[in-house]
Amino acid sequence: MALPEVKQTATEARLATLTMPEAGCTRAAREDALARVLEMGLPGRRDEYWKYTRPDTLISAEQPHAALFHSDEPLLFGNLDRLKIVFIDGVFSAEDSDDLELEGVNIDRIEDICCKDIHWAKELYGVLESRGQSPVQRPLAALNTAFAADGVAIHVTGKPTKPISLIYRHASETSDAMLHHIIRVESGAEVTVLENGPAASRFNKCIEIDIADGGTLHHVRAQGRDHERRAATHMFTRLGQESVYKSFTLTVNGILTRNEQVIELTGDDAIAHVAGACVGDGDFHHDDTVFVTHDAVNCESRQVFKKVLRNGATGVFQGKILVKEGAQKTDGYQISQSLLLDDDSQFLAKPELEIYADDVACSHGSTSGAIDETALFYLRSRGVSVKDATNMLTLAFLAEAVDEIEDEELAEAIVNRLEGWLSRHI
Amino acid sequence: MLEIKNLHVKLEEEEKQILKGVDLTVEAGKVHAIMGPNGSGKSTLSYVLSGRDGYEVTEGSATLEGEDLLEMEPEERAAAGVFLAFQYPVEIPGVGNMTFLRTAVNAQRKARGEDELSAADFLKEVRAKAKSLKIDADMLKRPVNVGFSGGEKKRNEILQMAMLEPKMCILDETDSGLDVDAMKLVAEGVNALRDEGRGFLVITHYQRLLDHIKPDVVHIMADGRIVKTGGPELALEVENNGYADILAEVN
Ligand SMILES: Nc1ncnc2c1ncn2[C@@H]1O[C@H](COP(=O)(O)OP(=O)(O)O)[C@@H](O)[C@H]1O
Ligand SMILES: [Mg+2]
C-alpha cells in the first residue's frame, strides 16, 4: 500500500540525511529495517499511536538545536562502583570509558560483533525490534536499527559484581545521535544496567534485551535535563521462563521525550515491572508508551507511572496489556497518575487491556489530580513551609514508582535528583 | 497569651456567617475548655486560629502574645507557638511519620533561629515521647496516619504536640472516638505538657475528658458565640442537663 504523500515526503527527506554504517554482519538486519521504514513511513501527526505526541521534530530532516545544561550538582551515580561506558553525542569514547572487562559479562561495540563472530548478537540485532512492529508500528525503532552508528552488545553469563553504567554526554548543541544496544542475559545470570545523561540534542535509542530462563535484568535510567533536548527511545524485552525484568526511568525536563517499552513474556512464571517517574516544567512533553504481551502461563507484569507537571507541561501515558490465548493465571497491573501543580498542565492517558484468556487478574487505573489541600494544610500547621510541604507531598506522590527500584543506593540517588529538581522548581 | 476579640468569620465561598463575635482570652499556664452543641463553630474557631484556607475574617482580632495571628501563614503561626490537634488527623500516604516529625521540628527551630536538632538527639527524644504514649516503632515508620486506628491517630497528634512544644495548644475533640484507656493516655500526654508558660484550649463534647484534664475555665459555645463562661462545674452541669437549659437561660 502506498504511503500518504506527506508521510512519504517526510520519510524520504529524513532518510536523505542518513548514511547506513558499513558494519558487515549487521548489514542484512539494517537493510531489512530500512525496508520496514520505507513500508511504514516515519510517524506522522495523524497516526493513532502518535495522537498525543507530535513526532515532527523527532523525524525532521533538520537537526534540532538544544543548548547544553550546566549544573554544579554532583554527578548521578557518581559515588557508585560501576563499569562506565561513555558515549559523547552518540559516539563511544574509549578515553572516558572504563576497560570493558568485568567478570560474568562480555561487552563489545556493535561494530566489533562481526569480526569477533559473536553469534548471539547477530541473532538478536534487529530481531526483537522487528517482532515489536506488530500489532503496532514503531518506525523510529526500525530507523534506529538501520542507521544507529554505535552501541554495545552486552552478554551476561554470570553475576557481575557491579552495574554496567551507560553514560550519555551531550557536547554539541546540534548533535543528532542514534545508539542501538543489545543485551543477552543467559540462564541464571543477573545484571544491573544503568543509563543516564542527555545524550544529544536529538537522541534516538533502541535497546533489545533477551533474557533467558531464570535470568534477571535490573534497569535504572535517568534521562538528562538539558531543557531543549529531544529523545525517542525503545526498549524491546523478551522474557524466558522464570526470568525477571525490572526497569525504572526518571525523566527530569527535556522538551520532548517518548519512551516506548515493548515487553513480551514468552516463558512461564516470568516477571516484568516497568516504572517511571517524571517531573516537568513549562514546555516539557513526556510520553510513556508501554506494550506488554503475556504469552505464557502465570506471569506477572506491573506498570507504575507517575508524572508531576507544572507551568503548562504535558504528560502522556499509553499503556497496554495484551493477554494472549492460553496465558492463564496472568497477573497484570497498571497504574498511571499525574500530579498537576496548576491548571495549565495536562495529562493524557490511554490505558488498555486486551484479554483472550479466561483465568487472569488484570487491573488498571489512571488518575489526575492536584496537591491535596488538606494534607498541605496539615503539614503547614506543623510549621513546614509551603515549599517544603509541596515538595514532601510531591515526593510522596512519586514514591510508588521510585519504590520499584530494588537497590536502595540507586533509589536514593534517584530521590536526590528529584529533590534537586523540586528545590529548583517549586 | 491568646486573645480573641469580637471574632466574626464567614465562609469564603458562601455567604454563611459561622463565628458571630467570639471573645476569649487564654492566659499562660491555664486550661480553657470549650463545649457546645455540634455545628456551633468550635472546629471553625480552631481552624481560623491555625490558618486554614476557606474562611474569611470579617471583624475582630486574634493575637498570640500580642502578635496578630490572622496576618500570618499557617507555618508562621506554628513557629509562633500555635498547635492544633486535629479533630480528624490527616492521612498522608508516602510521607513517613518520622520524616514528617523531624521536618516539622527542624522547620520550626529554623524559623525561630535555632539550630536543627541532630538526628541522634531527635531520635532519642522521639523514642522517649512515643513510648510514654504507647506509640511503637512501627507506627513511627509508617506513613503519617495511614492505616492508624482512631486512637492511634489521636495519640500521634499528641506526640507531635509533645515534640513541637507549642505555647498554645488547641485540641479539637481529641477525645472523640477514644476508649477509656486511650483517653487516659492522651490526657496524661497533655498533662505532662502543662506548664506555666503554656496555654490550652480544649474543645470537647464530653465532661469525661475534663475529668482527666482539669480545666481552669469552661466556655459554652453556641451559634458562633461564647454564651456562657464558668468554672469546672459548668462542664458538670452540661453533662447532667445537656445544653438545653443553658441555651434557654442565655436566650
Ligand atoms: N467548609 C465548610 N463548608 C460548609 N459549611 C461549613 C464549613 N465549615 C464549617 N461549616 C459549617 O459551619 C458550622 C460550624 O461548623 P463547625 O465549626 O465544624 O462546628 P463544631 O465543630 O462546633 O461542630 C456548621 O454549620 C458547619 O456545617
Ligand atoms: Mg468540630
Side-chain angles (χ1 to χ4, degrees), chain A residues 377-380 382-383 386, chain B residues 73-75 84 108 157 160:
Chain A
F377 172 64
Y378 190 64
L379 292 172
R380 293 178 72 190
R382 298 312 185 230
V386 192
Chain B
E73 296 296 329
E75 55 271 33
L84 168 63
Q108 292 202 14
E157 293 291 288
Q160 292 168 33

Side-chain angles (χ1 to χ4, degrees), chain A residues 372-375 377-388 392-393 395-397 399, chain B residues 50-52 73-75 78 83-84 86 90 92-95 100 104 107-108 145 157 160:
Chain A
D372 178 349
E373 288 296 330
T374 311
F377 172 64
Y378 190 64
L379 292 172
R380 293 178 72 190
S381 78
R382 298 312 185 230
V384 183
S385 68
V386 192
K387 185 180 153 89
D388 289 346
M392 280 175 95
L393 294 174
L395 282 174
F397 165 79
Chain B
S50 48
R52 188 172 192 152
E73 296 296 329
E75 55 271 33
F83 181 92
L84 168 63
F86 282 55
V90 182
I92 312 184
V95 175
F100 163 56
Q108 292 202 14
N145 294 323
E157 293 291 288
Q160 292 168 33

Side-chain angles (χ1 to χ4, degrees), chain A residues 83-239:
Chain A
L83 182 100
K84 295 198 279 286
I85 305 178
V86 179
F87 297 87
I88 300 172
D89 288 328
V91 180
F92 174 72
S93 166
E95 193 183 321
D96 295 283
S97 301
D98 290 332
D99 228 357
L100 302 186
E101 294 295 323
L102 183 63
E103 174 110 17
V105 61
N106 288 305
I107 304 168
D108 292 281
R109 287 178 74 183
I110 290 288
E111 62 177 34
D112 293 333
I113 61 182
C114 307
C115 52
K116 292 193 180 169
D117 200 21
I118 301 171
H119 285 288
W120 71 268
K122 289 183 222 164
E123 282 156 21
L124 184 56
Y125 191 93
V127 171
L128 296 186
E129 174 265 301
S130 162
R131 279 174 75 93
Q133 296 296 347
S134 144
V136 190
Q137 297 183 342
R138 307 171 199 283
L140 285 171
L143 186 76
N144 182 296
T145 300
F147 295 100
D150 216 327
V152 282
I154 302 174
H155 191 206
V156 189
T157 51
K159 297 188 175 179
T161 51
K162 52 184 172 186
I164 295 167
S165 182
L166 302 166
I167 299 164
Y168 306 127
R169 295 201 189 128
H170 178 197
S172 150
E173 298 198 338
T174 54
S175 53
D176 192 8
M178 280 195 213
L179 285 178
H180 194 116
H181 308 304
I182 50 177
I183 305 174
R184 161 98 185 160
V185 182
E186 291 300 341
S187 190
E190 179 166 358
V191 71
T192 298
V193 175
L194 309 176
E195 294 184 279
N196 73 292
S201 303
R202 178 166 68 186
F203 190 38
N204 178 335
K205 192 205 60 185
C206 182
I207 308 187
E208 295 176 284
I209 302 169
D210 197 13
I211 311 178
D213 297 352
T216 298
L217 185 133
H218 293 275
H219 170 244
V220 176
R221 156 170 72 168
Q223 288 173 311
R225 338 159 256 191
D226 294 20
H227 185 66
E228 294 163 331
R229 64 143 188 89
R230 294 175 159 80
T233 77
H234 290 82
M235 301 190 69
F236 295 93
T237 307
R238 179 167 62 188
L239 287 100

